[in-house]
């Protein structure tokens, strides 16, 4: 058997390489420095057919094989890893699940413009609490009353091609409490009401690609946009990632190849000790190892691509290729920079950019630790199920269990209720502090989030901080991106930690890294116009409404008409706990064994979380005592002695 690419493959390689050298390479440094998405480059890639390589011509694709796709990503990444991943994420993540699991109508409507490069695709799986463990998805999708639309609520993070993408494959829980069996996939379009994206991240590498968060606030998705069937989402996600790993392996290979070629050319030119440094034995060995490992990685990737093309099992092969190629890219770029010496540490030298670009290939579309889990499961088999030590209960809110008293309706009434509750908890609003007191020394803080809008609205934040006797703070984007406050004033896991008494968040959505920075606050107050903002699940008191309406009312309510007295030394206010509710769910009994299924408790040992209603149990669930099916259970009311 001759392991060799075809003439057609090499003709495609030549075409993509020429494009990358002529169009991408001259602006790669500028794109990296400016954190800029290459709109015109991507448009031209679409026109050249690069974004639809492996899809049938009937859907607007090029009708080529998976190896052709791998070569395309490899050659783009050889010049710029960011451009390579734009192509990879669009093709393997944003388009493939529609091709593999979509209806004919969905393929015509969504896949065709994606394959033609007229639209860009993206894949919405990762969440703050669902990274490597994708089964921890918290975004929800519920059918509305007329059964014609799903209502999506939640948030996705680290989404490649957002916010530039037009079409998103998004995963959400349709049946809570049954783990991965309750996740479904949806096709979501840019512009759907309630669907927004954050600003794209300021990343270490692949800076020409954009990466952002997706926010879903009562987004109405037509029922016909369900991809596959309800409950198939996890299967769709895992199948998609298997193929996506071929793309990331190709990206890593391209980055490594580019760094190797750059270092080889430099080492042949740079002279020390009377000869080109390429001929110093230590460097010769470095370059020889690079060439050897690149060859091995290429063969692994192309082999996985051929297996996929021929509908053979390729999951382990794709994981092996991704793991090997990305680890290799990190090693090669490190060695390439070392060959350049001090010159390689300077911005504008391509190996410096390759060095930064390579790291992410070990992380996304499955960390390399997860790749070893996948390979291990295909070699030694899956580990046997064991009873978990401790509770199987799903973790609660990041900021801990809070009162969760949310005020809606009349803004004046909501503000009065909030202030009355805070005063009852022991807060004295006749005292004040310097609003620019360091966060670590503050008893109270007022935090501005993106929801406050324009910078002029910071005047309301300042006035509220004065009346509340608090320091001014912000979420990370307000300090880092909008620059409304100094960078040392934002709170969160990556910023300042607030351990004082009163936190008032205005227009803060409640990102996980932010909530981790305030979890020790005695009292958390949230003001946000979206009832579905995560911060409302982490607060003691909340007002749902327009901050520009709420803030003037709250400032007035806290104003006693006198100058604030100096605040005394902080006395930590004890956190109050929410009142427990009596159980109301009916109990279901297996008459054969007497086993009772209590929705309040669930069946954690068999993957059923507490709070799962009986009618939401998967059809495959059986009594853990007798093995009887669901239809053998009878419904009973909660006994009086349990209420």
């Amino acid at each position: 058997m001759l392991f060799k690419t075809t003439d057609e493959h090499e003709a495609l390689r030549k075409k993509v390489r020429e494009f990358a050298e002529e169009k991408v390479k001259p602006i790669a440094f500028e794109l990296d420095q400016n954190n800029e998405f290459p709109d015109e480059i991507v448009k031209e890639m679409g026109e050249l057919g690069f974004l639809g390589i492996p899809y049938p011509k009937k859907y607007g694709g090029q009708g080529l094989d998976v190896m052709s796709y791998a070569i395309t990503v490899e050659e783009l990444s050889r010049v710029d890893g960011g451009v390579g991943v734009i192509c990879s994420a669009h093709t393997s993540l944003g388009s493939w699940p529609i091709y593999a699991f979509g209806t004919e109508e969905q393929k015509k409507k969504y896949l065709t413009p994606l394959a033609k490069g007229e639209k860009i695709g993206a894949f919405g799986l990762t969440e703050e609490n669902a990274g490597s463990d994708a089964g921890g998805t918290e975004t929800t999708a519920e059918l509305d009353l007329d059964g014609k639309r799903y209502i999506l609520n939640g948030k996705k993070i680290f989404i490649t091609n957002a916010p530039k993408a037009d079409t998103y494959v998004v995963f959400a829980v349709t049946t809570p409490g049954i783990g991965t069996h309750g996740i479904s996939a949806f096709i979501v379009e840019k512009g759907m009401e309630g669907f927004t994206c954050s600003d794209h991240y300021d990343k270490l590498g692949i800076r020409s690609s954009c990466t952002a968060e997706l926010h879903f606030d009562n987004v109405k998705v037509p029922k016909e946009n369900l991809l596959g069937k309800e409950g198939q989402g996890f299967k769709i996600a895992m199948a998609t990632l298997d193929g996506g790993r071929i793309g990331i392996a190709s990206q890593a290979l391209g980055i490594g190849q580019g760094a190797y070629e750059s270092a080889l050319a430099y080492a042949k030119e740079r002279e020390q000790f009377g000869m080109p440094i390429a001929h110093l034995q230590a460097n010769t060995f470095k370059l020889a190892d690079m060439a050897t490992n690149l060859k091995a990685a290429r063969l692994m990737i192309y082999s996985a691509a051929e297996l996929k093309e021929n509908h053979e099992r390729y999951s382990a092969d794709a994981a092996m290729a991704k793991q090997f190629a990305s680890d290799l890219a990190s090693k090669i770029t490190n060695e390439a920079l070392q060959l350049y010496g001090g010159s390689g540490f300077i911005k504008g030298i391509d190996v410096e950019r390759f060095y930064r670009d390579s790291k992410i290939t070990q992380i996304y579309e499955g960390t390399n630790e997860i790749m070893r889990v996948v390979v291990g499961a295909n070699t030694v088999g899956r580990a046997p199920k064991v009873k978990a030590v401790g509770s199987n209960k799903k973790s609660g809110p990041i900021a801990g269990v809070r009162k969760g008293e949310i005020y809606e309706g009349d803004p004046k009434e909501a503000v009065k209720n909030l202030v009355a509750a805070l005063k009852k908890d022991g807060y004295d609003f006749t005292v004040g502090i310097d609003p620019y007191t360091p966060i670590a020394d503050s008893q109270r803080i007022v935090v501005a989030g993106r929801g406050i809008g324009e910078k002029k609205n910071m005047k309301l934040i300042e006035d509220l901080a004065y009346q509340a006797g608090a320091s001014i703070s912000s979420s990370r984007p307000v300090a880092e991106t909008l620059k409304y406050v100094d960078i040392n004033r934002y709170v969160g896991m990556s910023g300042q930690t607030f351990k004082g008494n009163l936190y008032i968040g205005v227009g803060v959505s409640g990102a996980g890294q932010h909530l981790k920075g305030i979890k020790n606050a005695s009292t958390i107050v949230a003001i946000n116009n979206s009832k579905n903002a995560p911060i409302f699940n982490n607060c003691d008191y909340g007002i749902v409404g327009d901050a520009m309406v709420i803030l003037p009312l709250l400032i007035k309510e806290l104003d006693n008409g006198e100058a604030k007295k100096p605040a005394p030394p902080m006395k930590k206010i004890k956190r109050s706990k929410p009142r427990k509710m009596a159980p109301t769910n009916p109990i279901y009994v297996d008459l054969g064994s007497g086993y009772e299924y209590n929705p309040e408790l669930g069946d954690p040992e068999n993957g059923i979380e507490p709070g799962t209603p009986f009618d939401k149990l998967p059809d495959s669930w059986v009594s853990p005592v007798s093995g009887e099916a669901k239809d053998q259970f009878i419904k009973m009311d909660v006994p009086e002695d349990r209420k």
Side-chain angles (χ1 to χ4, degrees), residues 19 67 112 206 274 288-289 318 321 339 371 470 478 490 495 502 525 582 624 637:
F19 170 81
M67 192 182 296
T112 299
I206 59 166
D289 285 346
L339 280 165
M371 293 306 94
V478 170
Y490 81 81
L502 180 60
V525 176
D637 292 330

Side-chain angles (χ1 to χ4, degrees), residues 16 20 71-85 88 247-248 250-259 353-354 357:
V16 179
I71 289 170
T72 300
V73 175
E74 175 189 346
E75 289 300 323
L76 292 171
S77 303
R78 175 181 161 274
V79 169
D80 181 24
V83 172
V85 81
S88 176
I248 299 307
S250 301
Q251 180 200 14
L253 173 62
I255 293 170
Q257 183 71 35
R353 176 165 49 83
F354 289 137
D357 287 351

Side-chain angles (χ1 to χ4, degrees), residues 403-465:
K403 285 184 176 180
E405 295 184 14
I406 310 299
Y407 308 117
E408 300 183 68
D410 180 23
K412 291 182 179 180
E413 191 67 24
V415 166
K416 286 184 180 295
N417 289 336
L418 170 62
V419 174
L422 291 173
K423 288 180 176 178
K424 185 178 179 181
D425 286 346
Y427 289 101
D428 177 7
F429 295 109
T430 66
V431 301
I433 62 172
D434 181 341
Y436 291 97
T437 298
I439 302 302
D441 300 330
S442 301
Q443 299 185 38
R444 310 171 186 174
I445 59 173
V446 172
V447 179
R450 290 295 298 262
I452 67 163
E454 300 177 34
K455 189 173 183 178
K456 65 181 182 181
N457 296 329
M458 283 298 294
K459 180 64 169 61
L460 289 171
I461 297 296
E462 294 170 4
D463 292 345
L464 178 58

Side-chain angles (χ1 to χ4, degrees), residues 304-318:
E306 284 206 319
L307 288 172
K308 183 174 191 287
E309 180 66 27
N310 289 282
H311 308 291
E312 299 285 345
R313 292 187 62 182
Y314 70 95
S315 177
D317 295 81

Side-chain angles (χ1 to χ4, degrees), residues 496-560:
Q496 300 292 314
T497 300
F498 178 66
K499 299 180 180 179
N501 285 328
L502 180 60
Y503 164 101
I504 303 176
V506 183
V508 176
S509 65
Q513 77 88 19
H514 183 80
L515 294 171
K516 288 173 184 175
I518 64 170
K519 63 182 181 180
N520 292 315
S522 298
T523 306
I524 296 177
V525 176
I527 300 170
N528 198 294
N529 64 358
S530 171
K531 186 178 180 180
N532 298 303
I535 196 167
F536 283 128
N537 295 323
N538 292 269
C539 72
D540 294 284
Y541 307 106
I543 298 180
V544 179
D546 185 346
M548 296 305 104
V549 175
I550 301 298
L551 290 187
L553 296 172
L554 183 54
I555 291 165
K556 183 177 180 181
E557 188 69 20
L558 294 174
D559 186 0
N560 64 351

Side-chain angles (χ1 to χ4, degrees), residues 311-331:
H311 308 291
E312 299 285 345
R313 292 187 62 182
Y314 70 95
S315 177
D317 295 81
M320 289 177 185
K322 193 268 188 187
Q323 170 200 319
F324 183 79
S326 57
D327 283 346
L328 176 63
S330 183
K331 182 178 179 180

Side-chain angles (χ1 to χ4, degrees), residues 100-386:
F101 296 95
T103 63
E104 191 62 27
E105 290 74 18
Q106 289 172 338
K107 292 175 186 177
K108 288 178 180 177
K109 182 176 181 180
Y110 294 109
L111 179 60
T112 299
L114 290 170
K116 287 182 176 179
E118 296 170 350
K119 292 188 175 181
I120 301 300
F123 182 81
L125 177 64
T126 304
E127 298 182 5
E128 289 169 342
N129 295 317
S132 293
D133 179 13
T137 296
E138 295 175 350
T139 297
T140 61
E142 297 181 7
L143 272 175
D144 62 7
L145 294 177
D146 64 10
K148 294 182 179 179
R149 303 173 189 82
Y150 286 92
I151 309 301
L152 264 65
N153 282 291
K155 175 182 174 182
K156 302 291 181 178
I157 63 172
F158 304 145
I159 307 304
T160 303
N161 287 348
K164 293 289 186 176
D166 305 283
T167 305
Y168 297 78
V169 176
V170 176
F171 298 84
V173 176
T174 46
T175 304
I178 60 174
T180 58
H181 297 290
I183 298 173
S184 301
F186 301 88
I187 302 172
V188 181
E189 298 178 48
K190 176 189 280 189
M192 285 182 170
E193 185 178 356
F195 174 35
T196 57
C197 298
S198 70
D199 291 335
H200 69 95
Y201 300 136
D202 190 4
K203 306 188 296 291
L204 171 71
I206 59 166
R207 290 167 57 82
S208 58
S209 77
C210 55
T211 311
E213 297 170 1
L214 312 181
H215 300 272
F216 305 96
D217 184 5
N218 288 330
V219 179
K220 298 179 178 65
V221 179
K223 191 173 182 180
E224 57 266 27
N225 280 34
L226 174 69
L227 191 58
K229 298 178 180 179
E230 273 201 15
Q232 285 189 333
F234 189 76
K235 170 187 172 184
I236 292 171
M238 294 303 102
T240 301
L241 289 174
D242 279 343
R245 286 161 188 159
I246 295 174
I248 299 307
S250 301
Q251 180 200 14
L253 173 62
I255 293 170
Q257 183 71 35
Y260 162 71
E261 290 178 9
S262 179
L264 177 61
Y266 179 80
K268 287 180 176 181
E269 177 186 301
R270 167 77 166 164
E271 290 191 2
Q272 291 286 276
F273 307 108
M275 70 176 72
I277 63 172
H279 294 293
L280 298 174
Q281 189 177 58
N283 295 334
T284 302
F285 284 2
K286 283 183 191 292
L287 292 163
D289 285 346
M290 289 182 193
T292 301
N293 285 313
L294 286 167
K295 177 88 170 188
R298 185 169 289 108
L299 290 172
M300 290 181 72
I301 295 166
Y302 291 1
S303 173
E306 284 206 319
L307 288 172
K308 183 174 191 287
E309 180 66 27
N310 289 282
H311 308 291
E312 299 285 345
R313 292 187 62 182
Y314 70 95
S315 177
D317 295 81
M320 289 177 185
K322 193 268 188 187
Q323 170 200 319
F324 183 79
S326 57
D327 283 346
L328 176 63
S330 183
K331 182 178 179 180
I332 285 180
T333 55
N334 181 65
E335 295 283 32
L337 196 152
Q338 188 73 19
L339 280 165
Y340 264 87
S343 297
F345 207 67
I346 305 300
K347 293 285 185 183
I349 301 297
D350 56 6
V351 292
E352 182 271 339
R353 176 165 49 83
F354 289 137
Y355 179 78
R356 288 184 286 107
D357 287 351
S358 68
K359 183 59 191 175
I360 191 61
T361 65
Q362 296 177 301
I363 298 172
Y364 57 13
E365 292 196 40
T367 65
N368 280 6
E369 289 75 16
I370 292 297
M371 293 306 94
R372 288 168 170 85
V373 170
V374 173
V375 175
N378 281 270
T379 52
V380 301
R382 296 186 182 277
K385 285 188 177 181
V386 294

